[in-house]
Amino acid sequence: MNTITNPVETGEDFRALLKQLTQHLEGPGANPPDVDDLLLRWAAALPDHAPDPGWTGLAGQLLDAITAPSAGHAAPAPMDTEPPVSTPGDLQALLRALAADYAHDRNQQENKKARGLWANDGGSWAHSSLASFLESWNAWLGSTLGRPPRFPGTPPIEPVTWTSIAQQLGTARVYE
């Protein structure tokens, strides 16, 4: 990851970082973590209290999580609703819940395949790899940045707050 040195100050800079990470994680010899492992790493690295991170802080968090030692796989558990997020502690809880939901989805897909059932629908997660998750996050940001929220009551993406990070992750989870 030390090949990524461009500063991240804007949403477009963050999109460029996501694109670089996707290419790196799909490259020869890459051994990317599973999505649940990354989410658990991220949760472990977050402080309990901190100001809103902005694009620079979000990029730093993501890079720290990718380069952190493995946290392993999450214990599978479905997530019925995403918990509200307004603090780093809330985001930690969401990251752990998303990791467990990803692990649950992975297990369901593996069980379908083991029983000879069709399992190419992707399950409740639109992505089975970290690279495809980051690619979709980038694509969604590309369709969202600089535009007003699409639905009433939806918080804006910018400035980047703990709440908008949660929104980005929740949407990237299902965006194709």
Side-chain angles (χ1 to χ4, degrees), residues 1-66:
M1 286 302 117
N2 57 4
T3 60
I4 299 171
T5 58
N6 296 340
V8 175
E9 297 173 355
T10 67
E12 288 305 319
D13 294 341
F14 187 74
R15 289 190 63 222
L17 172 64
L18 291 173
K19 184 177 181 178
Q20 287 179 303
L21 288 171
T22 299
Q23 291 169 343
H24 177 78
L25 295 171
E26 292 176 330
N31 187 20
D34 285 326
V35 173
D36 57 333
D37 183 19
L38 174 82
L39 295 172
L40 291 175
R41 293 177 194 194
W42 190 349
L46 277 176
D48 291 331
H49 303 286
D52 287 331
W55 290 113
T56 303
L58 176 57
Q61 291 171 23
L62 183 58
L63 289 171
D64 288 348
I66 287 175

Side-chain angles (χ1 to χ4, degrees), residues 48-136:
D48 291 331
H49 303 286
D52 287 331
W55 290 113
T56 303
L58 176 57
Q61 291 171 23
L62 183 58
L63 289 171
D64 288 348
I66 287 175
T67 59
S70 177
H73 290 290
M79 184 173 63
D80 294 328
T81 60
E82 291 181 20
V85 172
S86 61
T87 69
D90 294 342
L91 185 60
Q92 288 172 334
L94 175 64
L95 290 166
R96 287 190 293 269
L98 286 169
D101 188 64
Y102 180 85
H104 174 75
D105 192 67
R106 179 181 52 228
N107 283 356
Q108 284 188 316
Q109 295 304 311
E110 289 171 358
N111 288 338
K112 283 181 182 179
K113 288 177 185 174
R115 294 190 326 253
L117 300 174
W118 184 72
N120 293 331
D121 62 355
S124 63
W125 279 71
H127 317 289
S128 60
S129 75
L130 181 55
S132 65
F133 175 72
L134 296 177
E135 183 177 39
S136 289

